[in-house]
């Protein structure tokens, strides 16, 4: 009886230590607002890329260039979309989320103004401004991931990442529809005016409301940062500022390229890059394949076909995020029931370092990838057989749903592994997946021409399926790699 009382006393004391102080002083509703603002900013990365695609023939005619040469503006955009977040992500981890976000949106707005006025005799300037546009838009994703790492515990990170990815992932669906409508009615320059107005409006909203969240600057949100880091309207975290709260120490080095030396991180980056490359190839070929297989469709009809994958992306992001949070809570409850007799400490006070985060996050991933591969193969043969258009559209929805479920899972786990470099690890993820996506997109038309749509997507599904062992490898090597990083970090701090 005495021993049980001692165990209960220890449990109560440790639980009290767990909740004091809180991870973040922002309330749940304030966190949702902050994540929603980050999601809106993240929308511009894919939107800026895909809204441009329907206008390529029109722009080629205006500049008196071939479509193939005009497609170079897409290539250079993808290159800078992959590279620039490595700079912005590092800056966000060191200088703050708020100024970096505002800097990205400001650069994007200026680039869009330049593109709206670019002379049709200066094709080189069009390419240069597209590079600048990519620099401004692509990095909003990495900064948003860093914000989530700042304010959300691992137990709630999945749900927040689910909501955050809704904005960026509806861009591929909405971009072609908006771009086609603007180009047909107001001309190709109206696309850039639309982006300028939208990004400027987002800039104003962020200046007004977005608080600084970088933990080395504001701790759990209780530290009042310098005036240049404060929003114009200080509505979130209001009245709970305490300048005495200690901030987390900044890292001596925030070089994101060092993350590639982490075997567990690199393994996840490669796995995610494979799935994203296949999904990019599917999106890139929707227009040409549907135009060929269903010649009765107009350009507007083809643009609307992107909404099927967009709907799957939006619903899959929300569902998978909530499911990850549920898996985390379930695992936590199971550990609570386990006691450690030799220590007399219950399992609900297990440290985050000892929590089986890899197996918890990745437990659903085999299901998602099997569904993705099956839908991908079926999608190719449905187009090959020219079935009812409803069949490939339904399969597009499944592909989008499962792809975003995999992407959200991997992105959440990456931030769990290196929470102090949330923006940097997201930049690494962006670099790998954009590079692999650009490579596959550049050759997908050649593969389609050689073996047809059916076998092409069977081949892509097979490539995805053989990457399944990387999931088990992540679970196997993850705990050891995390322990090694903790030892190195402790040694460097001492």
């Amino acid at each position: 009886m005495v021993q049980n009382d001692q165990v209960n006393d220890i449990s109560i004391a440790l639980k009290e230590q767990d909740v004091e102080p809180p991870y973040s002083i922002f309330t749940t509703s304030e966190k949702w607002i902050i994540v929603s603002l980050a999601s809106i900013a993240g929308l511009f990365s894919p939107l800026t890329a895909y809204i441009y695609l329907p206008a390529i023939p029109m722009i080629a005619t205006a500049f008196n260039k071939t479509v193939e040469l005009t497609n170079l503006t897409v290539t250079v955009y993808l290159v800078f979309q992959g590279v620039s977040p490595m700079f912005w992500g590092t800056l966000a981890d060191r200088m703050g989320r708020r100024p970096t976000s505002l800097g990205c949106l400001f650069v994007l707005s200026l680039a869009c103004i330049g593109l709206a006025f670019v002379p049709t005799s200066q094709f080189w300037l069009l390419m240069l401004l597209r590079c600048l546009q990519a620099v401004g838009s692509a990095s909003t994703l990495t900064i948003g991931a860093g914000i989530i790492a700042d304010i959300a515990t691992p137990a709630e990170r999945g749900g927040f990442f689910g909501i955050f990815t809704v904005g960026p992932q509806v861009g591929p669906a909405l971009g072609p529809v908006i771009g086609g409508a603007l180009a047909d009615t107001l001309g190709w320059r109206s696309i850039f005016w639309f982006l300028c107005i939208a990004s400027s409006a987002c800039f104003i909203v962020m200046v007004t409301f977005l608080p600084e969240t970088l933990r080395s600057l504001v701790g759990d949100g209780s530290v009042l940062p310098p005036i240049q880091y404060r929003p114009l309207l200080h509505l979130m975290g209001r009245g709970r500022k305490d300048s005495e709260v200690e901030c987390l120490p900044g890292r001596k080095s925030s070089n994101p390229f060092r993350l590639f030396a982490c075997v567990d991180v690199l393994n996840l980056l490669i796995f995610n890059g494979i799935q994203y490359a296949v999904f990019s190839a599917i999106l890139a070929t929707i227009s040409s394949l549907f135009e060929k297989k269903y010649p009765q469709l107009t350009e507007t009809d083809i643009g609307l076909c992107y909404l099927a994958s967009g709907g799957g992306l939006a619903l899959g992001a929300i569902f998978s995020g909530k499911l990850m949070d549920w898996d985390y809570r379930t695992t936590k409850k199971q550990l609570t029931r386990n006691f450690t007799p030799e220590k007399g400490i219950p399992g609900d006070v297990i440290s985050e370092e000892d929590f089986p985060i890899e197996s918890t996050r990745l437990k659903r991933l085999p299901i998602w990838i099997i569904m993705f591969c099956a839908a991908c193969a079926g999608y190719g043969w449905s187009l090959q057989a020219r079935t009812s258009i409803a069949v490939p559209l339904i399969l597009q929805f499944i592909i989008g749903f499962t792809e975003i479920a995999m992407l959200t899972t991997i992105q959440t786990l990456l931030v769990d592994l290196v929470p102090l470099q949330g923006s940097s690890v997201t930049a690494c993820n962006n670099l790998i997946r954009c590079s692999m996506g650009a490579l596959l997109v550049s050759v997908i038309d050649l593969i389609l021409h050689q073996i047809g749509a059916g076998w092409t997507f069977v081949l892509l599904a097979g490539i995805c399926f053989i990457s399944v062992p990387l999931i088990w490898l992540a679970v196997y090597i993850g705990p050891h790699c995390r322990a090694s990083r903790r030892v190195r970090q402790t040694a460097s701090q001492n």
Side-chain angles (χ1 to χ4, degrees), residues 19-324:
V19 298
E20 292 294 341
Y23 186 80
S24 174
I25 58 105
F26 296 109
T27 65
T28 300
S29 60
E30 288 173 344
K31 290 179 181 179
W32 283 115
I33 293 173
I34 293 172
V35 173
S36 297
L37 290 174
S39 180
I40 294 172
L43 169 66
F44 287 98
S45 177
L47 181 64
T48 304
Y50 286 92
I51 198 174
Y52 176 82
L53 298 182
I56 286 179
M58 191 179 296
I59 293 174
T61 302
F63 282 83
N64 196 25
K65 303 293 182 181
T66 64
V67 172
E68 289 74 17
L69 186 60
T70 307
N71 277 332
L72 288 177
T73 61
V74 178
T75 302
V76 296
Y77 182 95
L78 290 174
V79 170
F80 278 84
Q81 187 184 44
V83 174
S84 61
M86 301 297 287
F87 165 76
W88 288 110
T90 304
L91 196 64
D93 283 336
R94 301 179 67 177
M95 303 298 295
R97 316 298 187 193
R98 176 180 163 82
T100 312
S101 297
L102 297 177
C104 287
L105 291 171
F106 183 72
V107 170
L108 174 60
S109 298
L110 289 182
C112 290
I113 292 175
L115 285 164
F117 283 112
V118 62
T120 54
S121 59
Q122 306 295 329
F123 184 74
W124 67 269
L125 184 58
L126 175 69
M127 295 190 64
L128 177 64
L129 290 172
R130 280 288 286 172
C131 295
L132 188 63
Q133 192 181 39
V135 169
S137 65
S139 305
T140 52
L141 288 173
T142 65
I143 299 168
I147 290 174
I148 294 176
D150 294 333
I151 65 175
T153 64
E156 57 187 357
R157 224 167 255 165
F160 284 127
F161 265 111
I163 293 297
F164 169 69
T165 52
V166 169
Q169 297 306 321
V170 299
L174 295 180
V177 178
I178 297 174
L182 289 173
D184 288 340
T185 56
L186 300 175
W188 61 270
R189 294 183 188 272
S190 65
I191 292 176
F192 301 116
W193 282 120
F194 171 82
L195 290 174
C196 175
I197 295 170
S199 58
S200 299
C202 184
F203 178 89
I204 294 172
V205 172
M206 302 283 267
V207 167
T208 306
F209 298 108
L210 183 68
E212 180 57 60
T213 63
L214 184 63
R215 298 181 72 84
S216 61
L217 290 175
V218 299
D220 62 2
S222 299
V223 178
L224 191 65
I227 190 170
Q228 64 268 25
Y229 288 93
R230 304 176 199 170
L232 297 181
L233 294 180
H234 195 74
L235 302 179
M236 287 173 279
R238 186 177 180 182
R240 299 191 296 279
K241 298 299 178 184
D242 182 4
S243 59
E244 299 298 324
V245 176
E246 184 178 358
C247 296
L248 295 178
R251 295 180 60 87
K252 292 181 180 179
S253 175
S254 297
N255 184 357
F257 289 99
R258 292 188 176 182
L259 293 172
F260 290 120
C262 301
V263 180
D264 56 339
V265 172
L266 182 61
N267 176 60
L268 292 172
L269 294 178
I270 294 174
F271 174 86
N272 195 51
I274 293 172
Q275 323 312 321
Y276 182 81
V278 171
F279 182 67
S280 297
I282 292 173
L283 287 181
T285 55
I286 287 177
S287 179
S288 59
L289 285 176
F290 274 65
E291 183 180 17
K292 179 180 179 181
K293 302 298 182 181
Y294 304 100
Q296 73 275 15
L297 298 178
T298 65
E299 292 184 355
T300 302
D301 293 334
I302 293 175
L304 291 174
C305 290
Y306 284 85
L307 295 177
S309 59
L313 290 168
L315 292 179
I318 298 173
F319 178 80
S320 61
K322 293 294 184 181
L323 187 60
M324 274 192 292

Side-chain angles (χ1 to χ4, degrees), residues 332-360:
K332 198 77 170 179
K333 289 179 181 178
Q334 291 174 349
L335 292 173
T336 302
R337 301 189 187 101
N338 298 328
F339 286 79
T340 311
E342 63 274 13
K343 294 183 179 180
I345 299 176
D348 62 338
V349 292
I350 186 172
S351 64
E352 295 296 344
E353 291 81 5
D354 297 325
F355 188 85
I357 193 66
E358 291 87 3
S359 58
T360 302

Side-chain angles (χ1 to χ4, degrees), residues 337-398:
R337 301 189 187 101
N338 298 328
F339 286 79
T340 311
E342 63 274 13
K343 294 183 179 180
I345 299 176
D348 62 338
V349 292
I350 186 172
S351 64
E352 295 296 344
E353 291 81 5
D354 297 325
F355 188 85
I357 193 66
E358 291 87 3
S359 58
T360 302
R361 295 297 193 204
L362 301 177
K363 66 186 298 183
R364 312 284 179 179
L365 206 56
I367 299 175
W368 300 137
I369 193 169
I370 290 173
M371 292 176 60
F372 180 82
C373 293
C376 181
Y379 174 75
W381 284 112
S382 69
L383 292 174
Q384 184 82 15
R386 300 192 180 187
T387 63
S388 168
I389 193 173
V391 177
L393 290 179
I394 292 173
L395 291 172
Q396 271 191 40
F397 177 89
I398 297 173

